[in-house]
Amino acid sequence: MTDDSSDAPKTPAAPKKTGQAGQAMWGGRFSGKPAELMQAINVSIGFDRRLAAQDLAGSRAHAAMLRKVGVISSEDETAIQTGLAAIEAEIAGGTFPYRDEFEDIHMNVEARLRELIGPAAGRLHTARSRNDQVALDFRLWVREACERTVGQIQALQRALLAKAEAHADAVMPGFTHLQPAQPVTFGHHLMAYVEMFGRDAGRFADAKLRMNESPLGAAALAGSSFPIDRHATAAALGFAAPTGNSLDSVADRDFALEALAAGSICAMHLSRLAEEIVIWMTPQFGFIRLSDAFTTGSSIMPQKKNPDAAELVRAKAGRLLASFTQLSVVMKGLPLTYSKDMQEDKVPTFEGFDALELALLAMAGMVADLQPIVENMAKAAGAGFSTATDLADWLVRELDLPFRDAHHVTGAAVKRAEQLGCDLPGLPLSELQALAPGITEGVYAVLTPESSVASRKSYGGTAPDQVRAQIKRWKEILA
């Protein structure tokens, strides 16, 4: 259906009145206006104005498609595109008149467009609904947030790689149950987080692939009777295809849930690293230093230097988990298709991604800033009989003992060292030979943390050469 009316101005017109609050766009059936309380609970422009750029992009694509298929005239499309450009400039300049009376970003843009270009603005909403409009805008926003987050994760990975490369040989204790287990290198420890964050980036990229379908054109819930081209609008907006079911198109918020789930896992990884930074900063560990840039002091204890940035990153994980849970609870009881409950999808998603972005940036800064105290790490690496497994392995290799027998002999050696108040390298050869006569002086060569680390040459192990190989591999991936 084409309208060749030529009353649409070619340049923005002066603002004009729009009528009673809440009735300019959908009030034809209504004789009264909403109660103030209804208006207060219904309005969302306070938070969904963040979708302005996405709303304008969707409207541009929709208008171009409507003109292409002959639903609106070229004159009307020109007026609409001119008006949308003027609105974009107002938003960028901070002069756009956001008004609660128009409820949300979609109505605010449409009302302002009518003020600027007149009746042609009313043709823009042909063959679409606020239901598919908000589904589109929100999906575009989440897709962009996933892209941003991948970049932020990769920046953190690069900071970890640089620190790991500089300290690929620095020996430290590896822990299980937070008890000394076996020596590792600081570079190897940091590379574990590179792996974790790599999986996080993959989850966001995977979520983006799944959400990369356009709901525009699903209209309220059933599709449109107009001859629209949904493939054209999908392509114009960078989607792989249009969504395949109009009901699901407007009812689906899986894309936001999946992104928040990925964010929750990423925040959990950030929290684990933050916890280690907090522990490493304590005098009892003394493994690292952070500069004044990422620490704070105490209002009463002048000696304090607190790792507050790490502690706040640790706390942000709760914000992400809460956002995911909140949106899950909103969606869990909703029948198809759209319900106003879904207006509450944006705040937790916005808040979740805001918290994640801040946490990722702060962590990348801390990693670049922290300096390991290698002498303290090395001293701790030999504590707690951390080379006991190396003794057991030596007994298997050199004396051909079954590993379980070697394990028993080593346990007895640890017990004897405790009784004598020494560590394994300090246990006299006579004491070792009393447990296994074939033990020779050569055993001491494997009982230092440095030799233990150097021996772990299996793929992905902590030997410095293996650490450097993994650093090289990740540099190539991130390149």
Side-chain angles (χ1 to χ4, degrees):
M1 165 174 148
T2 304
D3 190 316
D4 292 322
S5 61
S6 58
D7 58 351
K10 302 298 183 287
T11 56
K16 26 188 197 181
K17 304 258 182 210
T18 55
Q20 286 189 338
Q23 296 202 9
M25 303 296 169
W26 51 260
R29 181 183 174 180
F30 293 74
S31 57
K33 64 180 182 180
E36 288 185 12
L37 188 57
M38 177 62 200
Q39 183 71 0
I41 197 172
N42 193 45
V43 69
S44 62
I45 188 60
F47 54 83
D48 69 14
R49 66 176 61 188
R50 290 181 68 162
L51 299 176
Q54 292 77 22
D55 199 70
L56 292 170
S59 290
R60 286 193 180 99
H62 189 64
M65 180 274 296
L66 291 177
R67 191 269 310 159
K68 183 179 178 182
V69 299
V71 172
I72 66 173
S73 68
S74 295
E75 291 79 8
D76 282 342
E77 194 223 341
T78 298
I80 289 168
Q81 300 288 8
T82 300
L84 292 174
I87 290 170
E88 182 178 46
E90 288 181 342
I91 291 171
T95 61
F96 183 82
Y98 294 106
R99 287 171 284 188
D100 286 356
E101 64 186 278
F102 295 122
E103 301 176 10
D104 56 32
I105 186 62
H106 325 296
M107 292 298 201
N108 266 267
V109 168
E110 187 173 340
R112 182 62 177 150
L113 187 63
R114 190 173 186 88
E115 291 173 349
L116 293 173
I117 71 170
R123 304 195 188 283
L124 175 59
H125 209 55
T126 307
R128 76 174 181 183
S129 161
R130 274 195 295 180
N131 293 356
D132 63 333
Q133 193 175 358
V134 69
L136 171 70
D137 295 357
F138 194 29
R139 194 176 288 238
L140 285 170
W141 191 94
V142 174
R143 187 178 71 177
E144 292 165 13
C146 287
E147 292 170 353
R148 276 196 312 275
T149 303
V150 169
Q152 291 155 3
I153 290 171
Q154 290 176 343
L156 172 55
Q157 287 180 289
R158 291 187 180 95
L160 287 162
L161 284 171
K163 196 67 64 174
E165 188 169 30
H167 301 284
D169 296 288
V171 177
M172 68 175 288
F175 298 94
T176 62
H177 309 278
L178 205 55
Q179 300 293 316
Q182 292 177 287
V184 297
T185 67
F186 187 56
H188 190 56
H189 196 110
L190 294 181
M191 288 302 295
Y193 285 100
V194 173
E195 296 286 341
M196 293 184 210
F197 293 124
R199 294 193 296 273
D200 290 327
R203 272 183 280 271
F204 281 109
D206 192 43
K208 182 189 164 190
L209 286 175
R210 233 183 317 281
M211 73 178 70
N212 203 30
E213 296 179 342
S214 171
L216 186 59
L221 77 163
S224 175
S225 60
F226 290 92
I228 60 173
D229 185 348
R230 294 190 61 212
H231 287 85
T233 51
L237 293 165
F239 289 103
T243 50
N245 182 281
S246 62
L247 298 171
D248 181 55
S249 300
V250 300
D252 168 45
R253 292 298 183 271
D254 288 1
F255 59 91
L257 282 165
E258 187 171 4
L260 287 173
S264 297
I265 298 172
C266 182
M268 176 268 292
H269 290 150
L270 287 166
S271 182
R272 295 182 73 179
L273 179 52
E275 172 72 1
E276 299 214 272
I277 289 173
V278 170
I279 292 172
W280 293 342
M281 275 276 292
T282 63
Q284 291 77 12
F285 273 74
F287 283 3
I288 64 167
R289 295 186 185 92
L290 281 174
S291 77
D292 295 351
F294 291 95
T295 55
T296 63
S298 165
S299 64
I300 189 172
M301 295 170 286
Q303 83 281 10
K304 294 297 292 298
K305 191 171 188 180
N306 301 320
D308 281 8
E311 291 169 4
L312 289 167
V313 167
R314 187 174 59 189
K316 295 296 182 187
R319 296 285 294 272
L320 268 295
L321 290 167
S323 293
F324 175 76
T325 301
Q326 185 177 343
L327 184 52
S328 298
V329 172
V330 167
M331 297 301 298
K332 73 175 182 60
L334 299 186
L336 295 179
T337 56
Y338 182 85
S339 297
K340 195 69 170 184
D341 311 49
M342 292 165 72
Q343 182 168 288
E344 295 298 315
D345 57 359
K346 294 163 204 66
V347 169
T349 306
F350 293 158
E351 288 182 347
F353 273 98
D354 287 348
L356 182 59
E357 177 175 16
L358 191 56
L360 283 165
L361 295 174
M363 184 56 75
M366 277 188 288
V367 168
D369 181 76
L370 70 82
Q371 291 301 319
I373 306 173
V374 293
E375 58 272 20
N376 289 355
M377 286 183 173
K379 183 178 179 180
F385 310 104
S386 65
T387 57
T389 306
D390 297 276
L391 173 56
D393 290 347
W394 187 92
L395 293 170
V396 171
R397 284 195 308 270
E398 301 298 326
L399 304 187
D400 198 27
L401 290 183
F403 181 79
R404 283 299 163 206
D405 293 346
H407 187 284
H408 181 79
V409 169
T410 301
V414 168
K415 182 178 180 180
R416 185 59 180 151
E418 284 182 317
Q419 292 169 346
L420 296 176
C422 64
D423 54 18
L424 282 177
L427 195 62
L429 180 61
S430 60
E431 295 287 348
L432 288 169
Q433 289 175 335
L435 300 171
I439 294 178
T440 66
E441 287 278 358
V443 73
Y444 292 104
V446 304
L447 296 184
T448 65
E450 292 75 16
S451 61
S452 174
V453 163
S455 71
R456 308 292 170 181
K457 296 180 179 180
S458 57
Y459 183 84
T462 194
D465 287 348
Q466 278 298 317
V467 174
R468 292 188 181 96
Q470 293 302 321
I471 291 170
K472 180 176 183 291
R473 178 176 73 89
W474 271 104
K475 281 184 174 181
E476 292 169 354
I477 291 171
L478 292 176

